[in-house]
Structure formats: C-alpha cells, structure tokens
Amino acid sequence: MSRFKIERTPLDGLLLVQRTLLRDERGFFARMFCARDLAEAGWAVSLAQVNHSRTTVRGCARGLHFQRPPHGEHKLVSCLRGAVLDVAVDVRIGSPTYLQWHGALLTADNGHALLVPPGFAHGFQALEDDVEMLYCNSAAHVADAEDGLNPLDADLAIAWPLPVVSMSPRDAGRALVAHGFSGVRL
C-alpha cells in the first residue's frame, strides 16, 4: 500500500505528493521518500543527495533554481517547519506551458510535497519565520550546470502571497526572461 497520493498539476510532469500522516496522541509519522511508491509518479532514478535549508525571515524568496541538461534532476521538496508557497516554473522549450508557474502550499503539518522533474525551475517564499525545507534530489549538484530565473520577473508574474522582503544577491541578479532567457531542451 502506498503512503502517497499523487495529484497532477496544470503543468505536465509537475506533481503534488500528499503523504499519509499516521497520527495518534504522540503526534504523527510520515514516510518522506519511498522509491517504489514514487516510481509510479515518474521518479525512476536513484536518490543522490538530500538537502536541508532554513529560512529565518517571513517573506523571503529563494530560487528559482534548476540544473541545465544533462544534469537535470528530480526534486521532492517538503516543508519540515512552518509554511511556504512552493513554486515551479516550466522552462522546457516547446512545452505548451513554457514559462508558466504553479504554486503549492507546503506546511509542516499538511503532509504535502512537490515532485519537481527536470526542466522546471524551483523556488519558494517563506510564509512564516524560521521555515525549514527538505529536498530529496536525484542528482548531485553541478555548479557549472546551475541556472535560474529572477523570482520577481514581471514576465513570470508569480503571485507571491507576501511582499518579497529579501532574497540572495545571486537570485536578485538573475537575468529577466525578456533579456535572453533560453530555456532548456530535455
């Protein structure tokens, strides 16, 4: 029996994973990753890297990051503490949803995760102070393949729920789509 319910999003390949939370008076237990169960959702690769981040300030935006081919990766993104709007942007050239975005509310309590396939940029906005995120990645990070989009790019029109109060200089300095973004071919 799978502990995951998989839901499609409006962006082909981007999936919302709902974990079954086994609750009792002590709290809950949740399976964070299961290769067998996620294979049905398209995760047919190994788990290569697990990352953990903490964002201390409500309103902070992180991302939108992706790895250029041939170093694309699947990411299973979960919120361990607090709440975020988790966003993925389709950067696949030729996709009918090219440069469209989808957001999902991930919280420490709702058991949801976003399964982000290669060809999508990923980022989030912290909706509370002291948010912690867990990323299960199918490939190790390759610095030379790293790329991204500016989270405040008006052409993307991401509806961040809060004013963006901070982001890294690298994310703020990302080129805008109108200034030559080339997307990816998978």
Side-chain angles (χ1 to χ4, degrees), residues 78-97:
S78 307
C79 183
L80 299 179
R81 181 179 185 184
V84 303
L85 177 67
D86 203 58
V87 172
V89 178
D90 187 347
V91 296
R92 301 170 296 174
I93 296 170
S95 168
T97 57

Side-chain angles (χ1 to χ4, degrees), residues 51-71:
N51 300 307
H52 178 214
S53 72
R54 180 175 181 214
T55 302
T56 58
V57 179
R58 178 180 184 262
C60 178
R62 288 187 181 250
L64 303 155
H65 305 145
F66 65 95
Q67 296 273 115
R68 287 207 168 268
H71 303 287

Side-chain angles (χ1 to χ4, degrees), residues 22-28:
L22 303 176
R23 296 180 186 271
D24 66 18
E25 66 280 351
R26 301 166 295 167
F28 70 83

Side-chain angles (χ1 to χ4, degrees), residues 48-49 51 65-67 71 73 75 137-147 170 174:
Q49 189 169 305
N51 300 307
H65 305 145
F66 65 95
Q67 296 273 115
H71 303 287
E73 61 188 347
K75 293 181 188 177
N137 299 61
S138 67
H141 178 78
V142 176
D144 291 343
E146 180 183 293
D147 206 344
R170 181 183 64 167
R174 296 274 187 204

